[in-house]
Amino acid sequence: MHLAVAISSHGFGHGAQTTAVLAALRKILPDLHLTLLTGLPRAFLQERIGGDFDLIDWRGDFGMRMVSALEVDLTASAADYAALHADWPAQVQDTARLLERIKPDLLLANIPYLALAAAATAGIPSLALCSLNWASIYQHYFMDRPEAHIVFDAMVEAYNSARYFLCPTPSMTMPELDNVRNIGPLAGLGRDCRADLCAQLGIPESRRLIMIAPGGIPVQFPLEDWPIDPELVWIVPHAWDVVRDDMRPFEGLGLSFVDVLATVDAVLGKLGYGTVAECACNGTPMLYIPRPDWPEEPYLAAWLERHGRCAPVTRAAIATGHLRGTLESLWAQPVPLPPRPSGAEEAATLIADSIQSG
């Protein structure tokens, strides 16, 4: 049996959702042949899926063009969607020919609607999986444009061509779709490795560890200007090239992302699905930078407030690094019972049933 998986390269969140499901699917169908179509790096995929898979560098889903991890480039996004749909039938045919060469028994898409439209053209059954869809995002920003209804209608038709659109908790509402099927949260569970981590860092276990997780889209905070707090150690992206004794690169730790997330005292980042779900399910508090114009954010924030510990932090506070008071308030919140990440097993069962039934 052969499963093709098309994954958006718009950050790491779509990959985190999908790889959690694929790891669970491998337990049900250990001999399943996987072909991944994505621009995500192999190392990221390999760490989370395990086992062999074929990787095709396919970038048929740009999602939204971004100015930074926190700001959407609306002008570029609208122009690129208009260009894509000006030649939509040819785009669908080209991708259909790619799928016909691969010859999968089933396509899973998170959430490239072009791949779903191509699968329908090639007669390949499909499933979609995501906490959002680009039709809803497009509708939020662009429906005043002259080409908007043509673009939006093609998106909705493609998403509705899937047998199911699997929506992990928490998800946006998707009233435009008629194939939604809700599943539980998608999140990896890490192990608490504080003793090993602190020994590796050469610090006492009493220090507070905070990981900065920007979510796979380039951004950098002015960390060199932040005050030194002798009780705090920051784990930061290596690419930021910060040289401070109280800031250590994540990539040099030799630990998985989810193990570090499960160990630290807080995560600082934006409200993306993967970070939100893994913080809640691992019981890790989260400081988040609000993005009030992003339509998925209210759903993620409301769920995290019910099932985890979280607090917003202003961009002014990020600029100055004066975060200690907000962190103390965050740590003082009541500790809820972490939700069980049942979505991977639920989705894997549905995918296995679909691929076996044809």
Side-chain angles (χ1 to χ4, degrees), residues 69-128:
L70 303 172
E71 297 178 48
V72 178
D73 189 332
L74 295 178
T75 300
S77 298
D80 284 350
Y81 274 117
L84 174 66
H85 285 267
D87 197 22
W88 180 242
Q91 298 284 349
V92 173
Q93 287 293 340
D94 285 348
T95 308
R97 283 192 286 271
L98 171 61
L99 293 177
E100 287 166 349
R101 290 198 299 272
I102 298 170
K103 297 181 180 178
D105 298 295
L106 181 74
L107 170 79
L108 174 66
N110 186 339
I111 48 174
Y113 64 95
L114 173 58
L116 293 168
T121 297
I124 297 167
S126 66
L127 300 173

Side-chain angles (χ1 to χ4, degrees), residues 258-309:
V258 71
D259 282 347
V260 176
L261 180 143
T263 298
V264 297
D265 297 284
V267 168
L268 170 61
K270 64 182 176 67
L271 287 178
Y273 183 94
T275 309
V276 165
E278 290 186 340
C279 280
C281 292
N282 285 281
T284 303
M286 182 178 183
L287 281 185
Y288 68 87
I289 308 158
R291 295 183 296 164
D293 68 323
W294 184 248
E296 184 192 19
E297 180 156 306
Y299 301 94
L300 297 175
W303 184 80
L304 187 57
E305 288 167 2
R306 290 195 303 272
H307 297 284
R309 288 179 288 168

